[in-house]
Amino acid sequence: MTLTIDSLVVGYGKREVVKGATLDVSKGELVGLLGSNGSGKSTLIKTIAGINRHTRGTITWNGGTDLANLPRRELAKIVAYVPQSIGLSFALDIKEAVLLGRTPYFGTKPRDEDWQHVEAAMRLLGLDELGDRNVTELSGGQGQRVLIARALAQDPEILLLDEPTSALDIRYQWQTLSVAREVTRKNNVAGVIAIHDLNQAARFTDRVVFLHDGEVIGDGRPADVYSPELIKRVYGVDVEISTYKGFAQVHPLSERAEHLLRTPPVAPAYTPVFAEARLELHA
Amino acid sequence: MSSIQTDPTLVGTPAGGGRPRRQRDRYAYQNTAIALGLVAVLVTAIIGVQIGTSGATFVNVLETFWGKITGVVPTDRAVLQVQTVIWELRVPRVLLAIFGGAALAVAGTLFQGLLRNPLVSPYTLGIAPAAAFGASLAIVIFGATAGSATISLVIGALLFSFLNTALVLSLASTRNLNPTSLILVGIALSQLFGALTACIQYFAEDEILAAIVRWTWGSVNNSAWYQVLVLLVLLGITFPYIRFRSGALNAIAFAGDDSAKTLGVAVSRVRLESIAIAATLTAVTIAFTGIIGFVGLVAPHIARLVVGSNHRFLTTFSAIIGALLLVVSDAVGRLVISPGVIPVGIIDALVGAPIFLYLILTRQKAIE
């Protein structure tokens, strides 16, 4: 039960963004997709999801199913996609928003089975207590939970998350990542999450894959893969790596910033007139 | 196979059929609203038929329909005259208002959903200015008088509406029909046809100018049975498709293009087909009535405030609101300065705007 991506090439026009990426993801595993902006993370995820078309290579599920050539509706029953944020033009209640995940399964009218999936997904993400609230009234974290619930209502075997935490504060980042972790494990789906935060990736993912300029240049457990050399190559930043409670943690080094922090602030030489002016401004 | 459902520790699927029943009731409100709306359309239609300079009673209306069904022609000249007025003037007028209002409202709902923009109306893609140009051209060529000119007006308006739609769709398809390109191309073509019409108006004689302006007000004054039938057939063909696509429409409107694709929706195809349908509904309606504004923008919003955003109910209820809005507006337009008639296109904004404001303001309160 593995998602296998082999020598995948994806381009927009003549420009190739993903240049022969090869990786695989097993069921129950959450793989973090790391890389700088423009490294091809998002493009790779969107290609697996069927939003983009690839030019060469293969995407297969279970060794046999060619995902890239599956009809859209059939693909949607296997692969679910969680976008960065919930884009809203019209009011819609939470339940209807989660029901969208059943689109590939029913025609015009949702069946009882569809509602059961919706309710199960809502319960799993703690959305049932929000009842019939409108999605426009939700916080960023709640909105993200609605999107994950929608993806789960799809009853997928592969769950793709495209930087789901980028717009969230730390509390909702952790909540979202915990849910992603829990869902891949307990529902036994193959999870891929594009993520910027290396430390969070180390804590929440089983494995990380580094993309650099459209190519995979690192693949393995965070503790094994994270190295100052690799991170310098990918992000152009000097780092130190430590271990905290068994998780690799990355600390950027900056001579300049540290030097400034060690330097005491210069005593401000305000003239009395200037100080009064400041006071007036504050009053 | 992985499944949320099959994992009992996570789901705890409730035993028994309690929950599904509750789900079936979930849309009871929407279905009731639609049923009541249909009754309201029928009632206002019957009242609408009775309104006019030569009075007609409810019994007259019933007799007229009974006479048409049985084929019995009344011998009394006075009765015959009343029945002729009802059958040849009033009924087509009211039905054109109903089907025209429904068509514009459905088109508005489709455009707003497909372009994911609540500010969009059936005229956003430039159909109205194009139709106005076509109609103006017909008026210039065939003269300002009605009668023989009417059919050329209809054809002129239709021709340019379709030309405009074809241009918008082919130009925007180079950008994958994404909503922003569609709207921008629509704006550009609106300006172009608007300027062309202005040219005609600038050089036209007063009589021609008056005829052009009168057309752009939009009315059901020149209603004819063939128009009613064309719209009925058109709605009858397109409505099942729109209902069938309601799930796809929901996905496009509420999840966006990328997510809708991952939900199994062929986004470009659905958008192309649905826009073609919405544009056809709009073009045919305004070819018969002239440019009736407001209803296509506002009926979807009023409907959304009542039955919610799910397109499975929204398109139907929008059609009902659009029909009601135009039937009532036309009745009001015939009453206020009787025997004069104010065009429905003017009244529907006068009647609709306060209703719309009331709904927005009261709903806002309910949210806070």
Side-chain angles (χ1 to χ4, degrees), chain A residues 77-108:
Chain A
K77 293 176 183 172
I78 299 175
V79 182
Y81 164 80
V82 177
Q84 224 175 75
S85 66
I86 190 163
L88 286 171
S89 313
F90 302 101
L92 191 71
D93 69 47
I94 293 175
K95 201 171 237 178
E96 293 281 339
V98 176
L99 180 66
L100 290 176
R102 299 301 295 172
T103 308
Y105 292 93
F106 68 88
T108 314

Side-chain angles (χ1 to χ4, degrees), chain A residues 51 72 76 89 91 93 95-96 104 108 112 115-117 119 123-124 150 152 154-156 186-187, chain B residues 2-5 7 10-11 19-20 22-24 26-27 116 243 258-259 262-263 265 309-310 312:
Chain A
I51 299 167
R72 230 174 240 304
S89 313
D93 69 47
K95 201 171 237 178
E96 293 281 339
T108 314
D112 290 346
W115 286 116
Q116 281 161 14
H117 275 94
E119 298 204 336
R123 222 164 325 145
L124 184 59
R150 179 178 92 196
L152 291 184
Q154 252 173 287
D155 197 15
K186 288 190 176 169
N187 283 357
Chain B
S2 90
S3 158
I4 308 162
Q5 227 192 342
D7 188 344
L10 277 170
V11 177
R19 244 164 222 287
R22 198 169 64 78
Q23 291 307 343
R24 220 165 286 139
R26 178 174 164 78
Y27 296 121
R116 268 197 309 286
R243 264 193 73 88
D258 281 359
S259 291
T262 68
L263 293 168
V265 176
S309 303
N310 186 340
R312 181 146 79 95

Side-chain angles (χ1 to χ4, degrees), chain A residues 205-218:
Chain A
T205 62
D206 298 296
R207 195 151 58 85
V208 290
V209 171
F210 275 95
L211 271 184
H212 181 57
D213 200 20
E215 288 173 51
V216 175
I217 62 161

